[in-house]
Amino acid sequence: MNHHLTKSLSRIATACLLACTSITAGATLSVYPAGNPGMYHNDDYTVKVRTIGGEWQDLYEYRVQVDMDKPQEASMVQFDMDEPVEVMVKKNNGIFSQVDIRPLKNGIKYERQGNVITFRMDEPKYLSVEFDGDRLHNLHLFANPVETEVYTESKGNVLYFGPGTHKPDDLPNNQIRILSNTTVYIAPGAVIKAKLLIDNAENVRILGRGILDHPIRGIEITNSKNVEIDGVTIVNPDHYSVFGGGSSDIKIRNLKAFSIKGWSDGIDMMCCRNVDIDNVFMRNSDDCIALYNHRWHWKGGSSDITVRNSVLWADIAHPINIGGHGDPDNEEGEIIERLRFENIDILEHDEDDPPYRGAMCIVVGDNNIAQDITFDDIRVESIQEGVLFHLEVQFNRKYNKVSGQTIRNVTFRNITYNGYGESKSEILGYDDKRRVSDVTFVNVMVNGTKVTNLDDFKTNKFIDNIKFK
């Protein structure tokens, strides 16, 4: 391992006080160290930020890649704020006519002078700034909340990664194992080129504003409990950004992630319980959020998972995907239950393969039972190709040995979508015994019109008690 990591790991075993700096209340704008030899710069934009009426501060424009169909180079900047700020974005190449700042619900207006726009932000937000509708070379602007816990060295149970590039020296090792009762702090300007592995551990926290760059996976949590992730960014892993298997009591906050490969999902949880995902931005070329039962080593069902206050962008596949994997040998079926999705902006859903379509998707296979699931206050801004809702008891021969069992007690409340050309939503059972039942749509608005019946759905005779309010 490099000398930073070697010293950090050796200090974990020492009994020293934490080297912690608490940020006190007050107006703060924090700009990260500029540049890093381990990350590429993108010159498409020049971006600056300032407190209202203050001095402009430069931001480093990172290059990130998006969209597996034909990977493109987009941009990313970050800073922390807890008071209103002004942002300046200069488009360095070519002219433009108009700009979209999404999610649109924020209603952010801009002023223009030549090839420069400025706009005000009153609170932390994760935004996409798009010139003339170009969503493949856009600017991802992440205004984070100000850190409340900052470390400056490895000491006691703190493992510190400072500004600069970090990777294991014992290549081809591609992971760093995190032990129980450890706080990992990845400072602004730090780039880790390895997976963080939390296996058979408890009481682990991964904090900071640094980046995990091109790991095989970003953060892997297996057979563990009481794990917190807050503030980090994961750029283009080979596989999942965050993976949970057979774990419980997981909190994920302020995570930002990009991916461009097949099976490079955002956050995947398999047989996990008590998971709270809050204020994340996921742009993935596979599912952004995927929740499953049995797969690989893990069994036992899933429950009590919440995703809220987040932005999801699926360049490929589903923004939200539930239920595909289970235990085909369990005749009673594993249950995935008590799931809640609230206050979410879906910026894109694009999938041309029918079994994998759905901005909001519950498709159960392998004897799975999915029940007690709520989608509340969801805004879908764009569907290139796909469907708005997909509920199906399915036998997917690629991944399943048998069909799923049932989907029941699902509520869609306060859902809005404005757009045209997508396929019909689907509600489909499998046979007389394997059905979809008790699904309620409350205040679902498509192009300003309330959905009141199944006329625009693809259905079959194996569904029961579908209601519209």
Side-chain angles (χ1 to χ4, degrees):
M1 298 182 183
N2 67 18
H3 69 281
H4 294 289
L5 183 54
T6 302
K7 289 195 291 185
S8 298
L9 291 174
S10 67
R11 287 171 174 170
I12 288 178
T14 64
C16 301
L17 295 175
L18 299 185
C20 173
T21 300
S22 295
I23 303 249
T24 56
T28 305
L29 170 63
S30 178
V31 174
Y32 307 162
N36 188 294
M39 296 286 291
Y40 289 101
H41 180 258
N42 193 335
D43 195 42
D44 287 349
Y45 308 102
T46 297
V47 188
K48 299 182 180 182
V49 65
R50 68 179 180 182
T51 56
I52 303 301
E55 294 292 327
W56 288 111
Q57 299 187 61
D58 284 306
L59 301 178
Y60 187 80
E61 301 87 8
Y62 287 97
R63 186 190 79 181
V64 293
Q65 291 181 298
V66 299
D67 194 6
M68 183 177 71
D69 282 340
K70 186 179 180 181
Q72 303 290 302
E73 295 181 357
S75 300
M76 175 192 74
V77 297
Q78 299 201 56
F79 57 90
D80 293 0
M81 60 175 284
D82 69 356
E83 66 172 311
V85 300
E86 294 176 294
V87 177
M88 184 197 83
V89 180
K90 180 179 181 180
K91 190 175 189 301
N92 293 326
N93 305 298
I95 60 175
F96 64 92
S97 298
Q98 59 89 33
V99 179
D100 295 314
I101 301 175
R102 301 195 302 146
L104 298 175
K105 72 151 188 186
N106 296 314
I108 295 176
K109 306 297 182 183
Y110 65 91
E111 296 182 357
R112 176 179 181 176
Q113 291 183 313
N115 62 338
V116 173
I117 66 167
T118 58
F119 55 89
R120 175 179 170 131
M121 299 181 66
D122 290 328
E123 59 185 356
K125 297 284 185 187
Y126 299 151
L127 304 176
S128 172
V129 183
E130 302 160 3
F131 289 78
D132 288 333
D134 187 349
R135 297 177 179 176
L136 296 177
H137 307 92
N138 60 315
L139 170 68
H140 302 85
L141 188 146
F142 300 145
N144 295 293
V146 168
E147 293 181 277
T148 58
E149 196 174 330
V150 175
Y151 298 89
T152 58
E153 62 178 318
S154 293
K155 185 176 281 190
N157 61 353
V158 174
L159 176 56
Y160 172 78
F161 294 91
T165 301
H166 305 264
K167 57 185 177 180
D169 278 342
D170 53 340
L171 297 176
N173 180 30
N174 56 16
Q175 66 185 27
I176 299 169
R177 180 179 289 270
I178 310 300
L179 305 179
S180 292
N181 305 308
T182 300
T183 294
V184 178
Y185 182 73
I186 309 172
V191 175
I192 298 177
K193 293 183 176 291
K195 174 179 74 176
L196 300 185
L197 173 62
I198 304 164
D199 180 56
N200 285 288
E202 60 183 355
N203 307 322
V204 171
R205 298 191 301 158
I206 298 174
L207 314 177
R209 296 291 185 265
I211 295 172
L212 302 179
D213 179 49
H214 286 78
I216 187 169
R217 283 181 181 167
I219 300 170
E220 183 173 319
I221 308 164
T222 50
N223 306 310
S224 296
K225 64 181 180 180
N226 196 19
V227 175
E228 179 181 357
I229 301 168
D230 191 336
V232 299
T233 302
I234 301 173
V235 176
N236 299 131
D238 290 340
H239 205 233
Y240 308 142
S241 292
V242 177
F243 170 65
S247 298
S248 65
D249 303 297
I250 299 170
K251 295 180 180 179
I252 301 174
R253 305 272 189 275
N254 309 314
L255 176 77
K256 291 78 59 181
F258 301 88
S259 65
I260 56 165
K261 296 185 177 181
W263 298 285
S264 63
D265 296 18
I267 299 172
D268 274 33
M269 295 284 153
M270 301 176 188
C271 294
C272 290
R273 300 181 184 276
N274 300 321
V275 180
D276 187 23
I277 300 169
D278 184 15
N279 193 35
V280 302
F281 182 104
M282 313 299 299
R283 184 170 186 180
N284 305 106
S285 283
D286 212 318
D287 303 330
C288 297
I289 306 286
L291 307 177
Y292 301 133
N293 286 330
H294 165 65
R295 200 177 189 194
W296 301 317
H297 308 296
W298 297 282
K299 294 186 178 183
S302 308
S303 67
D304 302 290
I305 300 173
T306 298
V307 182
R308 54 197 170 102
N309 309 321
S310 295
V311 181
L312 307 179
W313 186 330
D315 283 316
I316 304 290
H318 313 90
I320 299 169
N321 185 22
I322 299 165
H325 298 288
D327 185 356
D329 299 321
N330 183 340
E331 293 185 2
E332 292 185 358
E334 291 186 330
I335 300 174
I336 184 166
E337 63 183 340
R338 296 191 298 278
L339 313 180
R340 184 169 183 86
F341 303 85
E342 59 184 26
N343 191 27
I344 293 173
D345 291 281
I346 295 175
L347 299 191
E348 189 71 81
H349 164 47
D350 182 18
E351 178 56 68
D352 59 1
D353 197 346
Y356 310 105
R357 297 189 301 192
M360 288 163 276
C361 178
I362 308 172
V363 174
V364 296
D366 281 342
N367 281 328
N368 274 335
I369 298 166
Q371 64 186 24
D372 303 329
I373 301 170
T374 300
F375 297 82
D376 195 353
D377 197 17
I378 314 292
R379 297 160 294 276
V380 181
E381 293 195 7
S382 178
I383 297 177
Q384 285 191 38
E385 196 167 3
V387 304
L388 185 59
F389 307 109
H390 185 185
L391 286 76
E392 183 174 359
V393 179
Q394 185 186 74
F395 175 30
N396 183 328
R397 285 172 171 78
K398 182 175 180 179
Y399 291 110
N400 302 145
K401 292 183 179 180
V402 298
S403 76
Q405 286 201 37
T406 188
I407 299 169
R408 60 193 177 210
N409 300 330
V410 180
T411 300
F412 297 94
R413 182 185 297 112
N414 299 325
I415 313 295
T416 61
Y417 169 63
N418 294 294
Y420 301 90
E422 70 283 350
S423 299
K424 285 187 174 184
S425 290
E426 301 179 47
I427 305 178
L428 302 165
Y430 187 74
D431 59 25
D432 278 333
K433 294 183 178 180
R434 297 177 178 238
R435 308 177 72 89
V436 178
S437 64
D438 302 309
V439 180
T440 304
F441 296 88
V442 182
N443 194 34
V444 175
M445 307 293 293
V446 175
N447 295 318
T449 300
K450 183 183 247 186
V451 178
T452 60
N453 54 55
L454 288 169
D455 288 352
D456 290 324
F457 287 74
K458 179 182 177 182
T459 64
N460 61 17
K461 63 181 181 180
F462 308 123
I463 64 175
D464 304 290
N465 197 28
I466 312 300
K467 299 179 181 179
F468 295 86
K469 297 182 181 179

